[in-house]
Amino acid sequence: MTLIERTLEAAGPPSPSAAGGQRWSTRLRSRPGSLMVAPALVFVAVVFAYPVLRMFVLSVTNMPAGQASSWYSNYEWYLTSGSQMNILRRTFVISAWITVSCFVLGFPYAYLMTRVGTRARLLMTGAVMLPFWSNLVVRTYAWVILLSDVGPLQAFLRSMGIHAPTLLGNVAGMTIGATQVLLPFFVLPVYAGLQGIDRRLLDAAVSLGASPGRAFRKVYLPLAVPGIMAGSTLVFVLSLGFYFTPALLGSPKQSMISQQIVQQTNALLAFGRGGAMALVLLASTLLILGAAALVTRRHTRALGIGGGR
Amino acid sequence: MSAASRRGILSRSVLRVWCVLVGLLLVLPTLVVVPISFSDRRSLMLPRGFSLQWYVNFFQDPQWYGAALLTLRVGVVVAVIATALGTMAAMALHSALGQWRGPARAFLMAPMIVPGVITAIGIFYVALKTGLTQSYWGFVLAHTVLAIPFVVVTVTASLAGFDGQLVKAAASLGAGPVSAFRKVMLPLIAPGVVTGALFAFLTSFDEAIVSIFLSGPFAQTLPVKIYASVTQTFDPTVAAASTLLLTVTTVVLILFGVLSVVRERR
């Protein structure tokens, strides 16, 4: 199960327990037929796969007029452009900051979710679900209001006698806003991971003489790694491709890669260059997802906990 | 009381306070659009008095209410198409396909994993070539492909708990495949299907990145209109529109909650 699916499952209403029903294994007699998957496959192929592949074809065929030299011109332009490489580097650094902030804020929250009673858990889940399903543009707009120079945050600071630096239109404000916007995407997979940890192992460690703190560090945290990895990679990958939050809270002078892709395609109609940048972004995303999956698998195997859940 | 247990209590209360703060951080910032939407002045400053002028503005400006109507019309049709395609796919993935199950599933999930901006420029290019930009069906097609993964996930989850023996029992009692599906299977997986439909609706309702490319002066969805307005003006009509959007999301989420209670009762 991919981490996004796991997140969604945590986000949805509880599914009926698989233990009750026997698995539907009588494939040949009562199967609804493999063909039922066909319409969806065709739809995704035509509306999603074809356009995305088309982009990548354009990246090696569609050259800005007058400069076409070889099939890799667009990639050459991108990878040798100092300003573009700066933006790519900035995108990674900012994404790392957002991920760390989400961990600091979100891990204790997800942990407490597994430790409280049903009512408190419902409340805590609601506090995550509401932003998870709320509109991204609206949530970013709320931060435009909050961070603006005439907004409530600055007014509050002024009334306390503090003259804070401008927060809207720079990397600081963008990181604050993006962290809050992405926090639910961290909490949900981490909570799903932590839920599956058998707490009796902690009792066992304590009964064998470990202090509670030591038991937590040596027994609980290693078991929590798969969930933390899932949440962190999801947040990191989402921030790599983030568009609205940097566009509204950041400044054009300190843009991220998505803004550049939109600029190339929507404003300049340079689909070749946009496609080349998109492929770099997609490759980074897939590499990170793959590396995270590999690290997690190695870790769970070393611990001998198999599939984690 | 020993020092260790006192430390335990202390760390537990620190954890609780921290989590209350994080909970407030999750919920409160977004709600700032609500007071601004009732503001009596045309700025992002906190209001001094109460006024409904921005809502009046919203419902009198065809650009605003037109965008809202388009978003709703797209969302409902996306929910129908994505649920039909996604449910059928989930059933095939659950009980047929053999070794092709993994690849087929990964393919259907791909629109969720590929960064939105990449999907957006690809669809934009093809839409330009086929004349589907700024058209109702352009939005419907693009949103449906993004919504299908959500339906597949939720329906698959509800199928995991389904007892296949029931269909065999129905067949042995003489039911054909179609009536066995309609009379036996569908009622049991219905909560999962309805949840998938709600997810699909919300996906379309909130989608903005592909829609930005497909939008234009003649057709704009509400999130795109909000985005465009934020970049241009401080007019609190944006806040009124945002409040309305949040209200719809909240209502759908409450439906979710009711549905999961119904499901647990079963």
Side-chain angles (χ1 to χ4, degrees), chain B residues 99-117:
Chain B
Q99 61 186 20
W100 290 101
R101 185 180 298 166
R105 192 179 166 79
F107 186 72
L108 291 177
M109 288 298 146
M112 212 151 70
I113 290 158
V114 171
V117 69

Side-chain angles (χ1 to χ4, degrees), chain B:
Chain B
M1 197 174 357
S2 73
S5 74
R6 208 174 301 145
R7 236 180 55 204
I9 291 170
L10 181 71
S11 64
R12 225 167 295 153
S13 31
V14 169
L15 176 68
R16 264 156 215 265
V17 171
W18 183 253
C19 289
V20 169
L21 292 177
V22 172
L24 293 177
L25 177 72
L26 279 166
V27 177
L28 285 186
T30 311
L31 297 182
V32 78
V33 298
V34 180
I36 298 288
S37 75
F38 293 111
S39 173
D40 58 337
R41 43 182 175 178
R42 192 188 174 86
S43 91
L44 297 184
M45 275 183 265
L46 280 184
R48 282 169 309 196
F50 177 85
S51 147
L52 285 174
Q53 57 176 312
W54 310 114
Y55 287 92
V56 173
N57 211 10
F58 181 90
F59 287 109
Q60 278 178 349
D61 184 345
Q63 280 241 313
W64 276 111
Y65 71 72
L69 277 181
L70 176 67
T71 312
L72 285 174
R73 274 171 54 218
V74 171
V76 169
V77 173
V78 166
V80 171
I81 303 177
T83 307
L85 293 178
T87 303
M88 276 166 35
M91 286 169 61
L93 287 172
H94 181 73
S95 57
L97 289 171
Q99 61 186 20
W100 290 101
R101 185 180 298 166
R105 192 179 166 79
F107 186 72
L108 291 177
M109 288 298 146
M112 212 151 70
I113 290 158
V114 171
V117 69
I118 299 177
T119 315
I121 59 173
I123 290 183
F124 177 49
Y125 182 81
V126 174
L128 275 182
K129 298 281 160 196
T130 50
L132 278 171
T133 52
Q134 299 195 50
S135 79
Y136 174 75
W137 287 105
F139 288 115
V140 169
L141 290 174
H143 290 185
T144 302
V145 88
L146 295 173
I148 284 176
F150 290 86
V151 179
V152 172
V153 170
T154 42
V155 178
T156 307
S158 73
L159 280 171
F162 179 74
D163 186 351
Q165 301 287 346
L166 292 174
V167 171
K168 277 208 288 187
S172 76
L173 292 171
V178 174
S179 73
F181 169 74
R182 217 161 42 88
K183 296 256 170 73
V184 178
M185 196 162 172
L186 196 56
L188 285 170
I189 63 166
V193 175
V194 176
T195 307
L198 291 176
F199 268 143
F201 175 78
L202 273 187
T203 306
S204 162
F205 195 67
D206 285 346
E207 208 291 324
I209 181 76
V210 181
S211 306
I212 269 198
F213 284 88
L214 295 180
S215 289
F218 301 109
Q220 232 174 2
T221 62
L222 193 52
V224 174
K225 174 68 183 153
I226 290 176
Y227 172 73
S229 307
V230 176
T231 53
Q232 286 159 9
T233 119
F234 288 127
D235 185 347
T237 309
V238 186
S242 302
T243 306
L244 292 172
L245 211 90
L246 287 178
T247 310
V248 173
T249 310
T250 311
V251 168
V252 174
L253 280 181
I254 289 172
L255 282 180
F256 267 159
V258 172
L259 207 65
S260 70
V261 170
V262 169
R263 213 197 261 211
E264 259 171 27
R265 288 248 170 91
R266 286 237 172 118

Side-chain angles (χ1 to χ4, degrees), chain A residues 230-242:
Chain A
S232 310
T233 27
L234 186 58
V235 166
F236 192 82
V237 161
L238 284 174
S239 9
L240 280 187
F242 234 20

